[in-house]
Every structure is written in structure tokens, then in C-alpha cells.
Amino acid sequence: MKYVLALDQGTTSSRAIVFDRSGRMVAVAQREFRQIFPQPGRVEHDPREIWASQHAVALEAIERAGGNAADFAAIGITNQRETTVLWDRASGQPVANAIVWQDRRTAPRCDQLRQQGHAARIQKKTGLVIDAYFSGTKLEWLLDHVPGARERAEAGELAFGTIDSWLVWNLTGGRVHVTDASNASRTMLFDLHKQDWDDELLKLLRIPRAVLPQVVASSGVMAESEPSLLGAALPIAGMAGDQQAATFGQACFAPGMAKNTYGTGCFMLMNTGAQPVASRNRLLTTVGWQGPPGAHRTSYCLEGSVFMAGATVQWLRDGLQIIQSAPEIESLAAQVDDTDDVYLVPAFTGLGTPDWDGYARGTLVGMTRGTGRACIARAALESIALQSADVFGAMTRDARIALTELRVDGGASRNNLLMQMQADFLGVPVVRPQVTETTALGAAYLAGLATGFWADGDEIAAQWQAERRFEPHLAEAQRVAKLARWREAVERAKGWARAG
């Protein structure tokens, strides 16, 4: 066995990456798929397109690695989290489009749950704040709005899953309906302490247990793929939500270690060890991973979620059309030394940590007649780093320790200007590893540990190598003033959709 295959199913594209024993990328394939926006604030995907694109890139990556599926020890899966799929168990066909994690259609329902006094109980059980971000109210919405869905779900005819469950279902020809603990912990239906679906929350959202997947460990053989799909029956042995997988791929195995992933959104996670830590600063408490085998230990994380990061750059490209490709933003933003007090608050799908405002909307403030493309591009990059600085501050207060560095990964972490901004706004070094595809690498590591491809966490930690370290250059007084001015801009974005 030479390789592990990682399936990395993201918000805008499906990727497959082949890793060897040294953690090096041997082959990669990627395909984008449609983003569906049926109404303002709603975001959907076609689950059939997701599966078709993921299957295609898996075959392509295997071919590029030498074309022999028998060379692969295992498959690891990592996925966009919270995105909600409901499908027919008999036909395997979805009964509606998937509701994407960014979708805000259930914000009024979340308001209702808060007004009814459920916030404290839900946070205590699940570690989550009540928000449309999570899968629970999305699933409730589908059961209420797809004709006959609730009755069919209660009869055991329908299956719910996040994207990991949907991929495993299709990889196994409909034989296996599972999710791992990290993904389960993002549904608002899972009790962190009991490590099981919570009957009280299921009753609150009127969700029948029959529709739910079995919860399994993140590292452990949970199924085998159908031989006809990839050329051999391969063990599916690792599974974690994308941000937990990235934390594992960054070898953040010790409590207090933290990483930030710059993808469609920005997601900062800090390992808090074997016990969940309740947040006082509106962070999320989440399962990091379970396993590897033999340990049967759950690692927990604190998490801060920023909804618009790379998606903000995508908006500059596709919406405003002021750049032709995402990498152009770095050179364009570098044409000016500062934004001249212009701030972009990219609350296009509301605000995540620490504001949790589903009614906030994107704003661009401080413009003058002299504001041009370069200034807006720089404000867009700054918005990514400033949102992450808000999360970092909340995490430092919750953890009651001074985080001394931040490990970074994801596509936008290759933007040197953005990483320097991040170090300046945090006031601590930002460290970029040699392998920035740590989400896929984490899924590979989880699968490889379960099948003996890698021996233990020490072997994995030894493979992690820094590629570049960005030291902060901004004076402390300037940093504090910048963050304060940013918060003024954020206040102007809040509640806009509610006011309209």
C-alpha cells in the first residue's frame, strides 16, 4: 500500500488528493459545481452534482497517481459542514436541493427558539449558539416544506445527512448511513456530553430519530466502497468535518494549539483537550475528532466561524468583476498602502462569531470620490483578517491563555499580503506550513491511522513543517485603533435585513 485517498468535498468545489507516507501530495483533481441562489439569503446545492463531481475527481486523482486502486490503503472524507441533505432510502435520490451552511432561511425560526428560552439549554447540550448556520433547523424546514417528507421520515423512508453521510451512502451503494462525531456535533441535535443524538432536542425540532445516521468515530473503518466505483473495495476509515480535519492535519494535538483555515469562510479552532470548554464569548464548543482506534478518546475544540472569506474574493471576481481571477487580488490590493479609512464588512450571509447576527448584510463604508478598485480590494483582504482577529480575541479570553502563534492553511493562506495583515491585526506570528492542504491531509491522517498506514500521532506531528513565518509589524496602538474602527463598521452592518 503506497497511498491514502482524501475526498475533500467543499462549498464550491469537490477535490480528491492522494497522499503518500510522508504526507506529500502525489496527485490532485478538482471540479467546481453550481451555487444555487433561489432567493436572497438562500443558498442551495444539487446533491447529485456534488456526488458526481466527487466521484469524478476521485477517479481522476487515482489515475494521476498511477491508476491502480489496489495501491490505496484507505479513503478519508472531509466535507463542508452543516449543509443538509434529505434523500429517499429506496431510490437514493434527494427529495430537494441541499440547504447550504450559509443559508439564512431559518433565521426567523432561530429567533423563535431564542424567544422561547431554549438558548441556554441548547448551548449546554450541544456547545452551539442557536443559529441558522447549523443543520437542525434546516432539516426541520425540509421536513415541513417538502410535500409528504415528515410522514415519510417518520416511516423510516427518508435519510438525513450532512455531506459526509451523503458521500458514504453513495460510495457504499446505499448500504451504510453514518456520520462521525465531529459532523454530528454541528447539527444542534447532538449532546456533546452523552455523545449521542438528544431526544429532547429532536422533540423540540420535531425530527424523527429514524431519519438520522449512526454516529461513528472519526478514525476507524466504517465501511468499504463498492468495488465498481473506484476499481477496488477500499476501506472508508477516516471522516471529519473540514475544520476539524484541518486542525488534525495541522497536528494541533495538544491543548492550546490553534489553527485558522482560509477557505470559503474562515474557521479558527483551538484544541481544548479531552473535556468540552463552555464559551463565555460566543464561540462554539465542538467535537474535534474521536479516535484513533485504541484511544477511543474524544478531543474537543473551541471554534470561531467567519462566513465570508474566500467567498468575498469570489464576489469581487463574479459580482463586482473588478478582478478576473482570485489570485489577482494580492497585486491589486498592494497598489495602495492603506484603505483610506474604507471598510468592507462582508456580511452577505449574516455575521458569525462573535456577533451571530443573521440579519446583518454586507456594507462598504468610508468611500470618497478617490476610492478605486485597489482600495476596495485591500478593504476586502483586510475584512478577512479583521474578522479573524475578532475570533482570535474571543478565543484568547475564553481559553484564558495568551496564544503565541496561529497556524494557517487553506487556499487564501497562500496570499502573503493577507497573511502579513493577519499577523499585524493579531499581534502574534502567523505560521504557514509546507502543506497548506491540511483539510484533506487531516482526513488522510485519520484514515491512515485507522488502517496502520501511519503508526501514531507522533509520526504525523514529525511530518509537519513550517514554510513561512509572518511576524507582526504594526505598532500596538495602531493595531488597537484599527480593530476599534473595524468594530464601528461592523455595527453599521448589523440588523440591516430586519430593518428592511
Side-chain angles (χ1 to χ4, degrees):
M1 299 293 182
K2 301 177 184 176
Y3 309 124
V4 172
L5 175 66
L7 305 183
D8 181 0
Q9 204 300 299
T11 309
T12 58
S13 69
S14 296
R15 294 190 303 165
I17 303 180
V18 176
F19 292 97
D20 65 14
R21 289 187 188 277
S22 67
R24 184 180 64 89
M25 289 193 297
V26 174
V28 60
Q30 179 171 354
R31 290 192 188 183
E32 291 193 1
F33 54 87
R34 278 189 309 151
Q35 306 295 303
I36 303 167
F37 307 104
Q39 293 180 30
R42 295 192 177 188
V43 189
E44 298 179 355
H45 291 157
D46 183 340
R48 292 164 297 194
E49 283 187 33
I50 286 178
W51 165 242
S53 61
Q54 190 66 75
H55 183 213
V57 294
L59 290 172
E60 194 176 329
I62 290 170
E63 183 64 29
R64 289 180 179 179
N68 190 349
D71 289 334
F72 287 79
I75 298 171
I77 294 173
T78 184
N79 56 286
Q80 53 164 319
R81 303 171 305 171
E82 299 93 19
T83 295
T84 300
V85 187
L86 188 64
W87 68 92
D88 183 298
R89 289 183 183 273
S91 69
Q93 292 300 305
V95 300
N97 278 340
I99 303 180
V100 179
W101 58 270
Q102 299 164 314
D103 189 284
R104 307 307 301 172
R105 76 185 67 186
T106 63
R109 173 60 168 146
C110 292
D111 290 344
Q112 184 183 57
L113 290 169
R114 279 189 291 270
Q115 290 159 6
Q116 291 170 348
H118 298 299
R121 185 163 76 252
I122 285 175
Q123 183 166 14
K124 184 177 180 181
K125 284 175 177 282
T126 69
L128 308 177
V129 300
I130 296 175
D131 194 81
Y133 176 29
F134 305 110
S135 310
T137 57
K138 300 181 195 298
L139 175 55
E140 181 189 42
W141 191 95
L142 285 170
L143 293 175
D144 284 339
H145 289 82
V146 175
R150 186 170 294 285
E151 294 74 21
R152 296 190 65 209
E154 289 171 352
E157 296 174 13
L158 300 184
F160 150 76
T162 42
I163 296 298
D164 56 313
S165 301
W166 174 242
L167 293 181
V168 172
W169 179 273
N170 282 281
L171 282 166
T172 61
R175 288 183 289 108
V176 179
H177 184 209
V178 295
T179 189
D180 90 295
S182 73
N183 278 294
S185 74
R186 312 298 297 188
T187 59
M188 219 167 74
L189 303 171
F190 185 77
D191 189 314
L192 283 182
H193 311 282
K194 296 178 181 175
Q195 293 289 305
D196 194 10
W197 304 116
D198 185 81
D199 288 326
E200 184 184 9
L201 297 179
L202 296 179
K203 183 178 179 181
L204 178 64
L205 296 179
R206 297 172 302 123
I207 291 169
R209 213 176 232 271
V211 82
L212 300 174
Q214 177 190 355
V215 181
V216 298
S218 312
S219 182
V221 177
M222 58 199 74
E224 278 194 342
S225 65
E226 282 289 303
S228 60
L229 289 172
L230 300 175
L234 300 180
I236 303 169
M239 194 156 68
D242 52 10
Q243 303 315 317
Q244 290 97 326
T247 310
F248 200 85
Q250 284 274 35
C252 291
F253 300 148
M257 297 182 73
K259 70 89 201 176
N260 199 23
T261 296
Y262 299 79
T264 300
C266 261
F267 300 90
M268 192 179 298
L269 274 75
M270 182 180 70
N271 187 330
T272 61
Q275 297 297 323
V277 174
S279 173
R280 299 173 302 280
N281 292 282
R282 308 196 81 191
L283 294 172
L284 307 176
T285 304
T286 193
V287 172
W289 49 83
Q290 272 189 352
H296 298 300
R297 186 175 67 85
T298 303
S299 290
Y300 293 90
C301 293
L302 280 171
E303 174 174 337
S305 307
V306 169
F307 297 155
M308 295 289 291
T312 305
V313 179
Q314 215 172 26
W315 173 71
L316 293 185
R317 183 192 69 188
D318 302 336
L320 293 190
Q321 298 182 354
I322 67 173
I323 54 174
Q324 297 300 308
S325 65
E328 286 179 33
I329 192 172
E330 184 171 6
S331 58
L332 179 59
Q335 291 177 15
V336 293
D337 292 331
D338 59 55
T339 65
D340 285 331
D341 204 34
V342 171
Y343 288 84
L344 170 64
V345 182
F348 301 107
T349 57
L351 288 168
T353 310
D355 300 285
W356 294 108
D357 185 346
Y359 298 97
R361 289 297 179 264
T363 57
L364 187 58
V365 297
M367 289 184 293
T368 66
R369 286 286 299 274
T371 301
R373 292 168 60 242
C375 187
I376 292 172
R378 191 175 187 97
L381 283 187
E382 283 196 353
S383 77
I384 298 170
L386 287 163
Q387 289 177 99
S388 294
D390 282 344
V391 174
F392 189 84
M395 195 165 281
T396 300
R397 292 189 296 274
D398 261 350
R400 296 183 179 179
I401 58 172
L403 302 179
T404 56
E405 69 173 29
L406 183 67
R407 293 185 174 186
V408 297
D409 54 67
S413 70
R414 292 189 286 270
N415 185 315
N416 291 333
L417 178 58
L418 173 59
M419 292 301 98
Q420 185 58 54
M421 288 174 174
Q422 192 67 85
D424 287 341
F425 298 157
L426 296 181
V428 301
V430 165
V431 186
R432 185 171 63 200
Q434 289 183 356
V435 178
T436 56
E437 301 297 347
T438 54
T439 301
L441 181 58
Y445 280 154
L446 288 166
L449 284 168
T451 53
F453 192 77
W454 288 289
D456 52 32
D458 290 340
E459 182 182 357
I460 288 171
Q463 292 182 357
W464 189 92
Q465 299 290 329
E467 179 263 329
R468 182 165 172 182
R469 188 177 179 91
F470 297 84
E471 299 287 344
H473 298 316
L474 199 62
E476 181 64 13
Q478 290 177 286
R479 186 179 77 84
V480 170
K482 184 75 176 178
L483 294 176
R485 190 64 166 158
W486 160 251
R487 291 308 305 175
E488 288 185 53
V490 170
E491 289 302 315
R492 284 159 170 77
K494 286 185 175 180
W496 185 261
R498 193 195 305 272

